[in-house]
Amino acid sequence: MTAPRRLLLVNGPNLNLLGTRQPEVYGTETLADVEALVRTTAAARGFEVRAMQSNHEGVIIDAIHEARRDCAGIVINPGGLTHTSIVLRDALASVDLPAAEVHISDVNNREDFRKLSYVRDLAVVHVIGEGVAGYARAVERLCDVITGQSEG
Ligand code: CA2
């Protein structure tokens, strides 16, 4: 079977509000802008994208499980679940797909509780604090990993 040329893009809780509040932290671009950027970047590498956002942990877990069937990798900004969710960690570990962890803000230079990520060691790509543009970098690096050009 040929490997699927599809990525799952997951945005976690509250990221539906991108562009509406806290522009000094998260910028002015919207979730629709993020999804369009990811689709364009992935298309240039020959990948299509299934994009989802949810404020509900279980919905995100289901989407990750589903990705096992037809995706080659996962780009994920888990939002606040990054710092709290062993359930999310277990889901990512169970699907055995390469994952890229993205954070718009520099979580290492904010409150201490944002420094802990339950998914960090599972992800093969990390893009942190590069704003919305970081999603494009994450896609490019993840596609390189999937197509065997590099790691990390
Ligand atoms: O920097 C990131 O991308 C975060 O994953 C965003 C999460 C935060 O809990 C993480 O520590 C870092 C929060 C997402 C909230 O997004 C909003 C964006 C605009 C307006 C309101 C919320």
Side-chain angles (χ1 to χ4, degrees):
M1 198 180 90
T2 52
R5 301 286 285 185
R6 185 180 300 108
L7 303 177
L8 174 66
L9 169 65
V10 178
N11 278 291
N14 299 308
L15 286 160
N16 55 310
L17 298 177
L18 262 185
T20 67
R21 307 240 165 83
Q22 294 183 266
E24 69 286 3
V25 181
Y26 298 114
T28 55
E29 287 162 289
T30 65
L31 180 63
D33 293 330
V34 168
E35 293 181 352
L37 175 65
V38 167
R39 285 188 202 285
T40 303
T41 310
R45 298 298 187 102
F47 284 82
E48 62 178 77
V49 174
R50 179 187 302 134
M52 64 89 61
Q53 184 279 331
S54 179
N55 296 323
H56 304 279
E57 194 173 40
V59 173
I60 292 171
I61 305 309
D62 287 344
I64 291 170
H65 289 179
E66 185 73 14
R68 249 186 328 179
R69 293 151 44 97
D70 61 359
C71 292
I74 300 174
V75 177
I76 183 165
N77 181 345
L81 293 175
T82 308
H83 320 298
T84 64
S85 182
I86 294 168
V87 175
L88 173 64
R89 176 191 173 82
D90 287 346
L92 282 173
S94 69
V95 295
D96 200 26
L97 290 172
E101 178 186 6
V102 182
H103 296 288
I104 298 167
S105 65
D106 184 358
V107 287
N108 295 318
N109 284 297
R110 296 182 63 189
E111 302 95 327
D112 279 349
F113 62 80
R114 295 188 202 275
K115 291 180 180 149
L116 171 65
S117 167
Y118 280 103
V119 304
R120 185 126 330 143
D121 62 306
L122 296 178
V124 294
V125 170
H126 308 91
V127 183
I128 294 171
E130 297 190 16
V132 160
Y135 284 87
R137 236 166 99 71
V139 167
E140 285 172 349
R141 290 169 57 189
L142 186 63
C143 288
D144 285 348
V145 170
I146 292 167
T147 57
Q149 289 179 37
S150 76
E151 284 191 16

